[in-house]
Each structure stands twice: as structure tokens, then as C-alpha cells.
Amino acid sequence: MAGASDRSQGFNEDEKETHQGVAARDMSPDIERGKAQTDTGHSNVEVSDDAYLVTFNTGDAEDPKNWSKKMKWSVTLALSATGFNRIMVSTMMAPAINTIATDLNMSNTESTMALSVYLLATAFGPLIIGPLSEVYGRKPIIHITNVWFLVFNLICGFAHSKGLLIAARLLAGFGASAVFSLSYGVLGDVWTPEQRGHSLSLFLLIPLLGAAVGPIVGGFIVDYTTWRWMFWATTILQGVCELCSLPLIRETYAPLLLRRRAQKLRETCDDSRYHAEIEDNDAGHSTSATLRHSLSRPLRLLLFHPTIQLQALLGGLNYGLLYFALASFSTLYVSAYHESISISGLHYIAICAGELLGAQLCGPLMDYTYRALKARRGGTASPELRVPLLLPSALFTPIGLLIYGWAARYHTFWLVVDIGMAMFCLGMQVFDTTLRAYVMDAYPAHVGSASAATQLSRSLMAFAFPLFAERMYDALGYGWGNSLLAFVSLGLALPATAILWWWGPKLRAKRLSSY
């Protein structure tokens, strides 16, 4: 009996290796070679075997991180072009606020609301869009949100009442919010941590142009035609971007790709033991329960993960300050420097220059410091290796605000004001990009949800800050108003940077799983 048992066990082992060999030839999966567990007489008990866990091989061509540079950059640039249009639409209305208010009989607060409500949608949209991309994949959600944005942005151009304009802007912003969660999820899927800075800086190159190009184009549209062309023109551009992205954007979410591979292996080999990790996590849960769990993930990260809370606060402050400046910048040049709307919009080039310079400096500096600190630690990587770059950027932001505020207060030459604004935007961009890289490193399996969690506070503050810009400057003036903002920025950024550097690992250890 013992010999028969040994022969039977040996046959079972050979049969298992044969199935794995066929699977490897057919699908090239990396079947993790765990210690096999065999049936010991309890034939009614199904024993899970890690030998059938489907993962990617080293160098596996189907792993998005092993794609060719051409394929990676194609996906990155397709998302970057879409991001340009979404961000341009968010700022394009700034020079047209007064004109739209007159045409649609809106108060100053209501017209500013029409500008800011777009950002309110980008606060809550990622809470749904990010988790859905971790259930159904990045690709279908990207295309669905592209079409959604196109439809409601077009409706904005035909709005003849303030209610319809605000509602359509809100819904357009919901579709546009995909760029704030899906894009960073895709970048985390295809680029390694060592390439994080380079990929982020080039990805941001085109969208950051949108923040400045929007008000410039909007100013000329208002001066020479109807403000409605702001929405019609960007809708046409969105349609072109969507058509061009169809052949370029492929599925990048690795857990979903492995699920599909495991399903194909089960069918090809007629063996139900092949499984992916995402299937193990979802085992025993209904589809609705899985959806509920995924959709609640961003809020759970925000409520229970200290590092997410800290970054949400810092990112929110920076984003709020940026839109505070965007909402009031054109008004400053029209009222204090007596420039036309179209010419005042040209000063947004300073904002664009600061953001672009910040993004392009941040990329190579981030990769260099990451590699250097990693080598100094004996090859040990951690998200905290991103933190040193936060310190100089935390200083640039308030210095820029002070120069901008006091130069505007005394009506100095316009170039001084623009230099201050450019310095502010440079510091803000380096700080924000570094924080995003930290999140991508700390939550690699759920970048979409983690980005959605931090985006909530960003967009809420970007929505709220412009609403009190006019009143604050009326009460304090540009000098003391910007000084107040600078001191708040410095008082939060410096302690937070120290906390992340010294206690970041301990804070992350409090919540190891993002599932």
C-alpha cells in the first residue's frame, strides 16, 4: 500500500508539472513554485496550492512594466493630451466670468461658482472612477469618461440659463476628473519607481500648458467672438483626442490582466486550480459586495491612513492656493493695470512657465535623489526617499506669494508680479509632483484609489478658495492677503515634511494593507 501511495503521489506531481509546462508554453505565466500540498485521504476537501498562483515572469512581455518604451510613451502621451484639454477647460472661463455673468444674469458669486463647480466635481468623481478602474480595468473607464466629458462640455456651450450652465459644468467636471485618478494609476502601472520622476515630468508637460493656455485663449475668444466658443472648441478637441487614443490606450492594470490570464489557463488546461491574487481577495464575495468594498476604498484610505491624510492636507492647500491665484490674476491686471481682458490673459504665461519649469526640474532631480538615497541605504527603497525634494519647494511657494502680493500692492512693473507668480507656481508644482510620487510608491496596488483620496481635498479647496478671493483682497489688499497665505503655507509644509521624513515609515506601518 505504501508503494502504491508513493507511485500515486509521484504521478500526481508529474501530472502537475506537465500542466504547468503546457501553461508556460501557451501563456508564459510565472507559476509561483510553492510547496505542493497533496490529498492525504480527505477527497472532499479542496486544498489551495500556491503552485497555481498566476503571476508575471521576470521580463514577461505582457507585464505593462516590461512594455517597450514606445508603447509606454504612447499611453503616457495619449493621457497627457487628454489631460491638457480637461485642465484647460477648468481655467478657460476665468477671463469670461464677467461677460457670462452679464449674459446669463448671474451675480459675482454665481459666476465664480460656474467656474469652481467644475472643480467640485473633480473632488468626488475620482472617488467613483478610481475604484471602478480597479474592478473593470483602466481602459474602458478612460473611454467612458472621455465621452461623458465631451457630451456635457458641449451642453455648456448651448446653456441659456445659469442653472443649466452650472449643472452642465458640474457633470462635465465629473467626466474630467478621470485624469486625476486614472492617469496616475496608469503611470504607476507602466513605469518603475526609478523612472517615476522622468515619466511624471513629461506626462505633466502638456496638461500644465492647459492651465495657462485656457485663460489666454478664453480672453481672446471673449474679445473677438462669443464665450460659447470656449466650450464648442474644447469639445471638438476632446473628440479628436478620443479618436486618437482608441488605438493607443491598452489595459495596464496588472491584477486584472492576471485575472484574465488565470481564466484562460483554467479553460485551456481544464484545471480550476489556476488563480490570480485578485480572485483570492474577492473569493466568497458577490459582485455587489466587491463593488461596495472597492468604492469605499478611497474614503477608507483617507479616514484611516495617516500618510494619506497628511498628503491630502498639503496637496489641498497647494491646489487651493493655485486656483485662488487663477481666479484673481486676470482681474488684477484689468482693474489695477488697466489692461484689456485679452492682454491680461497673457500674464497666465507666468503661471504656465513656473509650473512647466517646476515639473521639468522635479523629474530628473527626483530620480537622481531617489537613486542616490537608495544606493546609500544599500539598495533599500522606500517612499520616504522622495521627501527631501519637498523642502526647497516648500520655501519657493511662500516666497513667490510674497513677491506677487507686495508687487501688486504697490503697482510695480508688471514683470515683478509675474516673476512672483512664476516662483509660487514652481514651488507648488515640485511639491505636488513629489507628493504624488510618494503616494504612487506607497500604494502600488491601488494608485487609483489613493490618488482619488488625496484629490478629494485638493479639489474641495480649489473649489472653495476662489469664492473668498475677492473679499479677502478687498479687506486685506494684495500685500497682506498674500502674506497671510504665505505664512499658512510655510507653517503647514515645513512641519509636514519633517513628519514624513522622520515618521513616515511608522505612519505607513499603522495601515499596511490598502485592500
Side-chain angles (χ1 to χ4, degrees):
M1 292 292 291
S5 176
D6 290 343
R7 287 192 298 273
S8 174
Q9 183 173 348
F11 175 75
N12 289 337
E13 293 293 331
D14 292 340
E15 182 184 34
K16 181 175 69 181
E17 291 192 12
T18 299
H19 278 300
Q20 290 173 346
V22 171
R25 288 191 298 272
D26 291 345
M27 300 294 295
S28 299
D30 178 16
I31 310 299
E32 291 189 352
R33 304 283 180 170
K35 184 177 179 181
Q37 299 177 355
T38 58
D39 187 2
T40 57
H42 302 283
S43 58
N44 60 330
V45 178
E46 184 177 350
V47 182
S48 176
D49 192 343
D50 282 347
Y52 291 89
L53 178 64
V54 179
T55 61
F56 286 123
N57 276 323
T58 302
D60 194 322
E62 293 187 12
D63 184 353
K65 283 189 169 61
N66 295 326
W67 285 357
S68 66
K69 285 288 183 67
K70 180 180 178 181
M71 191 178 298
K72 288 182 178 183
W73 283 119
S74 295
V75 173
T76 302
L77 293 176
L79 292 173
S80 185
T82 301
F84 167 80
N85 197 31
R86 309 286 180 86
I87 293 175
M88 181 170 65
V89 170
S90 74
T91 62
M92 185 177 277
M93 274 185 63
I97 286 179
N98 293 334
T99 304
I100 294 173
T102 302
D103 284 358
L104 300 183
N105 194 28
M106 304 170 78
S107 66
N108 287 337
T109 301
E110 289 171 337
S111 60
T112 304
M113 174 76 75
L115 170 70
S116 299
V117 76
Y118 185 91
L119 296 163
L120 182 62
T122 64
F124 298 101
L127 297 179
I128 299 173
I129 293 169
L132 286 179
S133 74
E134 294 165 357
V135 176
Y136 298 108
R138 315 284 195 205
K139 181 179 177 179
I141 304 300
I142 287 173
H143 291 306
I144 290 170
T145 54
N146 281 349
V147 174
W148 179 287
F149 167 75
L150 185 152
V151 170
F152 287 102
N153 191 61
L154 180 62
I155 292 173
C156 289
F158 290 100
H160 287 279
S161 68
K162 56 187 178 183
L164 179 58
L165 177 64
I166 292 174
R169 280 279 287 180
L170 177 70
L171 293 171
F174 179 87
S177 67
V179 73
F180 298 108
S181 55
L182 292 186
S183 295
Y184 293 101
V186 171
L187 292 178
D189 293 341
V190 303
W191 297 101
T192 63
E194 290 75 16
Q195 300 167 316
R196 189 81 72 219
H198 185 58
S199 60
L200 276 172
S201 65
L202 291 181
F203 162 75
L204 290 169
L205 180 62
I206 300 176
L208 290 178
L209 287 171
V213 171
I216 294 171
V217 174
F220 280 97
I221 288 176
V222 170
D223 267 2
Y224 295 103
T225 183
T226 173
W227 57 266
R228 299 181 186 278
W229 266 108
M230 292 190 300
F231 300 105
W232 296 337
T234 50
T235 299
I236 293 170
L237 178 59
Q238 178 61 35
V240 173
C241 289
E242 172 60 12
L243 290 175
C244 292
S245 70
L246 287 173
L248 296 177
I249 294 178
R250 300 174 59 185
E251 185 54 59
T252 64
Y253 191 50
L256 184 67
L257 294 174
L258 291 172
R259 181 203 291 269
R260 292 173 181 174
R261 176 177 280 189
Q263 290 171 343
K264 190 167 184 179
L265 278 171
R266 289 194 291 268
E267 296 172 0
T268 303
C269 301
D270 194 23
D271 192 334
S272 62
R273 289 175 291 182
Y274 290 107
H275 61 283
E277 185 177 0
I278 191 173
E279 293 176 314
D280 296 340
N281 291 334
D282 295 341
H285 300 292
S286 64
T287 302
S288 60
T290 300
L291 276 175
R292 285 197 302 272
H293 189 76
S294 296
L295 291 171
S296 66
R297 186 177 295 117
L299 289 178
R300 286 187 283 112
L301 290 173
L302 187 59
L303 291 174
F304 303 116
H305 289 241
T307 52
I308 291 290
Q309 294 167 352
L310 192 60
Q311 290 168 71
L313 174 64
L314 295 173
L317 176 64
N318 264 358
Y319 216 55
L321 290 175
L322 172 63
Y323 276 85
F324 187 97
L326 285 172
S328 59
F329 203 45
S330 179
T331 304
L332 166 68
Y333 284 103
V334 172
S335 60
Y337 288 82
H338 309 294
E339 295 179 353
S340 66
I341 294 177
S342 57
I343 296 301
S344 71
L346 294 175
H347 292 280
Y348 284 91
I349 293 174
I351 294 176
C352 178
E355 290 188 327
L356 286 177
L357 184 59
Q360 300 317 303
L361 286 175
C362 182
L365 285 174
M366 184 190 298
D367 287 344
Y368 174 79
T369 55
Y370 184 84
R371 287 193 296 266
L373 292 173
K374 182 180 176 182
R376 186 180 297 178
R377 292 190 175 187
T380 302
S382 74
E384 283 67 41
L385 301 185
R386 311 286 185 191
V387 173
L389 206 55
L390 293 176
L391 185 59
S393 58
L395 298 175
F396 264 90
T397 299
I399 291 173
L401 277 171
L402 289 171
I403 294 174
Y404 160 41
W406 288 104
R409 166 68 178 79
Y410 291 106
H411 294 179
T412 59
F413 184 49
W414 61 263
L415 184 59
V416 180
V417 180
D418 284 2
I419 289 173
M421 178 59 81
M423 287 184 63
F424 158 64
C425 291
L426 186 152
M428 185 217 66
Q429 189 59 49
V430 174
F431 199 90
D432 189 62
T433 304
T434 305
L435 282 179
R436 288 192 182 276
Y438 186 103
V439 170
M440 294 166 75
D441 288 350
Y443 298 90
H446 297 110
V447 176
S449 293
S451 298
T454 57
Q455 186 62 36
L456 177 64
S457 64
R458 279 184 171 94
S459 294
L460 285 178
M461 291 192 187
F463 166 75
F465 273 41
L467 298 179
F468 64 82
E470 184 179 359
R471 291 182 181 178
M472 191 193 79
Y473 282 138
D474 286 344
L476 299 177
Y478 280 95
W480 287 113
N482 276 21
S483 296
L484 174 62
L485 297 176
F487 295 144
V488 170
S489 174
L490 194 64
L492 288 175
L494 288 181
T497 300
I499 290 171
L500 282 176
W501 178 252
W502 292 109
W503 295 288
K506 291 183 179 180
L507 292 175
R508 286 189 294 109
K510 291 180 179 295
R511 292 283 174 177
L512 292 175
S513 174
S514 59
Y515 176 72

